Amino acid sequence: LHGRDPAVDAIDFNLAYRMFPLERWHALFQAGAGYARISDVGAGTDSEDDFTWKARAGAEYMATPDLMLALYADYRFVNLGSGTDSN
């Protein structure tokens, strides 16, 4: 949104799949959908409620039984505003 700094509060519900979960190294794939409330949207609107979704892929490493190191890449879509400023 041009010249605005909106705040986004979101809640997601996710499904995760760990490939080879009993190995020290394993891959993780995750997909989710959720709800977001966007504040300070502009044009006289204080807030908007909208749908969100995300995808995640990454790798996890079990360094010890109590320590896991992870590297993820996320893609998140949140619909901000309406019209040409909507994504």
Side-chain angles (χ1 to χ4, degrees):
L1 297 168
H2 305 290
R4 313 262 333 162
D5 189 17
V8 179
D9 297 312
I11 184 168
D12 292 324
F13 299 95
N14 300 293
L15 293 174
Y17 175 72
R18 284 182 170 86
M19 187 178 287
F20 311 115
L22 299 179
E23 302 293 326
R24 288 182 76 105
W25 280 101
H26 53 269
L28 172 86
F29 301 98
Q30 190 174 35
Y35 159 87
R37 173 160 287 204
I38 301 105
S39 303
D40 191 22
V41 192
T45 304
D46 290 330
S47 66
E48 273 186 30
D49 300 333
D50 222 319
F51 171 79
T52 68
W53 65 270
K54 83 171 191 181
R56 169 180 279 178
E60 299 174 329
Y61 177 71
M62 293 298 296
T64 71
D66 298 320
L67 177 65
M68 178 173 54
L69 305 174
L71 179 64
Y72 304 120
D74 286 351
Y75 179 84
R76 181 178 298 264
F77 174 84
V78 178
N79 189 36
L80 293 175
S82 58
T84 58
D85 291 334
S86 65
N87 297 333

